[in-house]
Amino acid sequence: MSSLSLTFFATTAPRVLVPSSSSNPKLSPSSYSFSATTARWHSTAVSFRSGARRTSATCPCASFSSFNVRAMAKMVQDRESAVSSSSASDEQNKKMLNIEVNHSRTFLDVRSEQDLLSGIGREVEAGRLPSNLATGMEELYHNYKNAVFQSGNSRADEIVLSNMAVAFDRVLLDIEEPFTFSSYHKSMREPFDYYMFGQNYIRPLVDFRSSYVGNVSLFFEMEEKLNQGHNIVLISNHQTEADPAIIALLLESTNPHVAENLTYIAGDRVITDPLCKPFSMGRNLICVYSKKHMLDVPELIEMKRKSNTRSLKEMALLLRGGSQIIWIAPSGGRDRPDPVTGEWYPAPFDTSSIDNMRRLAEHSGIPGHIYPLALLCHDIMPPPPQVEREVGEKRVISFHGAGLSVAPEISFPDIITASKNPEEAKEVYTQAFYNSVTEQYNVLKSAIHGQQGLKASIPSVSLSQPWG
């Protein structure tokens, strides 16, 4: 089987907050306030799951209780005791808990912005944090702060301090004990809930009043098929490091199963960049080397190809088990604006990527359905103007509306019957997906950038704001 020319999905920075009904309406339908206690224990409290999921069923917000020092210490002790008596299958959780308990608490002891930023300096002086990463962390802090303040939330300073404290704590933890991703990575929800960590970091960057979902009924259709054991593949454009979190945020009020169970085809950069890794740890990933970076280091080409072969085998095994929903961006990277006009549009799709996914789905022996998905969110965290070889890009961040839309599945048999030969059918099939994604993208663009809102809907793309 030919190698996949897949995208790299990217994660973004983290955050933690408590909904507040008195927040600025620009944040509708969700807004946030800082817990009564300091960021020190507020941020730690969300690190350990106490059992029930924290996802709201009615709005894109998550509520977290806070702990004082004594309660937090007892919780860690209880968790440690429970894990010590667990079975061998929980060995990973036990290992992670031991790491959590023993690592530096520098960023969980902060009470102010000064504490947070001086903590970076102390970790550099102690030799635990590389100076270049420290510079990137400071830059990320200020960019994130400016973006959250754009929302007009009266508690923006507390939100920023809380979320960045957790973000920096996770980055430092991975520097101390580097996490290695396997070809198939399962979202880590315990003892630290990395999924909610990523969700809560991106949440205050999304202006839900100017955000939309297209054809939400099709997501319910997908859930029904997943419940029947079928597989779903989403052929999508890719815009930002925050794509997975934004997709989940826009779906969590109506389709939490889809939001939490999506598996993303992820490039190597999001599992190696220190500022990305903690967010990647919260997603289900099939890890691959992107075609765009395959040749960056010639002596690593063969290793990358072998790794991608292993990832293909992992994906095949997943699909054979059924009830999988997989996201892939066949452009092989993020969309970028036209260098002349500055206009954004979905990057062209690679035919071999789509054909490989189609064949994997067909050969699984499980019914499969492939849908075109459009995503518009580049304003929140746009990529660099050009593809960069080096890891560690500058993160520009803004508060903005976002859009997600899906169209009916596209059947390859319907395409091939009207084509002259198989190769032509593959090209036509790819173009059908690209045309659908582009059409949906333009509707989202009219709704968000053109400020047409729900009136931007067309017969094939019905927009809604399902969070109310």
Side-chain angles (χ1 to χ4, degrees), residues 8 22 91 127 156 207 280 358 454:
F8 79 98
S22 61
E91 192 61 32
D207 183 352
S280 301
R358 175 188 64 80
L454 298 175

Side-chain angles (χ1 to χ4, degrees), residues 91-157:
E91 192 61 32
Q92 177 68 14
N93 280 352
K94 182 177 179 180
K95 177 182 177 182
M96 293 303 296
L97 181 59
N98 288 335
I99 292 172
E100 294 279 357
V101 170
N102 295 321
H103 98 98
S104 169
R105 316 308 289 179
T106 295
F107 296 114
L108 296 182
D109 288 335
V110 301
R111 297 174 182 270
S112 67
E113 176 182 284
Q114 182 178 356
D115 287 347
L116 186 71
L117 297 178
S118 63
I120 297 175
R122 290 198 304 274
E123 290 298 327
V124 172
E125 292 174 3
R128 288 188 291 261
L129 197 63
S131 59
N132 62 333
L133 178 57
T135 300
M137 291 167 69
E138 291 182 2
E139 178 182 78
L140 177 63
Y141 172 81
H142 291 294
N143 289 344
Y144 184 78
K145 176 183 176 180
N146 291 339
V148 175
F149 270 76
Q150 289 171 18
S151 71
N153 192 313
S154 61
R155 295 182 178 272
D157 54 344

Side-chain angles (χ1 to χ4, degrees), residues 87-293:
S87 64
S89 62
D90 292 326
E91 192 61 32
Q92 177 68 14
N93 280 352
K94 182 177 179 180
K95 177 182 177 182
M96 293 303 296
L97 181 59
N98 288 335
I99 292 172
E100 294 279 357
V101 170
N102 295 321
H103 98 98
S104 169
R105 316 308 289 179
T106 295
F107 296 114
L108 296 182
D109 288 335
V110 301
R111 297 174 182 270
S112 67
E113 176 182 284
Q114 182 178 356
D115 287 347
L116 186 71
L117 297 178
S118 63
I120 297 175
R122 290 198 304 274
E123 290 298 327
V124 172
E125 292 174 3
R128 288 188 291 261
L129 197 63
S131 59
N132 62 333
L133 178 57
T135 300
M137 291 167 69
E138 291 182 2
E139 178 182 78
L140 177 63
Y141 172 81
H142 291 294
N143 289 344
Y144 184 78
K145 176 183 176 180
N146 291 339
V148 175
F149 270 76
Q150 289 171 18
S151 71
N153 192 313
S154 61
R155 295 182 178 272
D157 54 344
E158 297 168 341
I159 292 170
V160 171
L161 181 62
S162 173
N163 291 339
M164 292 308 302
V166 183
F168 288 172
D169 177 68
R170 295 296 95 187
V171 171
L172 179 60
L173 175 63
D174 190 67
I175 294 297
E176 293 173 345
E177 296 284 345
F179 180 79
T180 301
F181 289 82
S182 56
S183 296
Y184 170 54
H185 170 78
K186 188 73 175 171
S187 172
M188 297 175 64
R189 307 297 301 262
E190 292 184 345
F192 180 92
D193 192 339
Y194 280 93
Y195 172 82
M196 287 309 304
F197 159 74
Q199 292 304 100
N200 288 329
Y201 185 87
I202 298 301
R203 198 184 305 272
L205 302 177
V206 179
D207 183 352
F208 286 95
R209 282 211 322 184
S210 60
S211 296
Y212 304 91
V213 176
N215 300 330
V216 69
S217 63
L218 290 178
F219 289 106
F220 289 103
E221 176 182 297
M222 290 181 201
E223 287 195 337
E224 290 179 5
K225 294 183 185 302
L226 290 170
N227 289 334
Q228 295 167 7
H230 296 196
N231 291 319
I232 303 293
V233 176
L234 302 175
I235 302 295
S236 175
N237 68 313
H238 176 28
Q239 294 230 303
T240 78
E241 289 186 328
D243 285 3
I246 291 171
I247 290 171
L249 286 168
L250 296 180
L251 292 178
E252 69 179 2
S253 63
T254 54
N255 306 94
H257 179 79
V258 171
E260 296 191 33
N261 288 281
L262 265 166
T263 295
Y264 295 86
I265 309 298
D268 60 295
R269 297 199 158 204
V270 300
I271 62 174
T272 56
D273 188 321
L275 294 179
C276 280
K277 284 182 69 176
F279 302 96
S280 301
M281 291 163 71
R283 305 293 160 179
N284 302 314
L285 306 177
I286 296 289
C287 303
V288 302
Y289 287 93
S290 170
K291 190 175 184 178
K292 288 187 175 181
H293 297 287

Side-chain angles (χ1 to χ4, degrees), residues 3 6 63 72 74-75 221 268-269 273 311 313 333 342 349 383 429 456 465-466:
S3 62
L6 303 176
S63 176
M72 182 62 201
K74 184 178 186 303
M75 182 183 68
E221 176 182 297
D268 60 295
R269 297 199 158 204
D273 188 321
S311 296
K313 291 179 179 178
F349 290 169
Y429 192 56
Q465 293 178 309

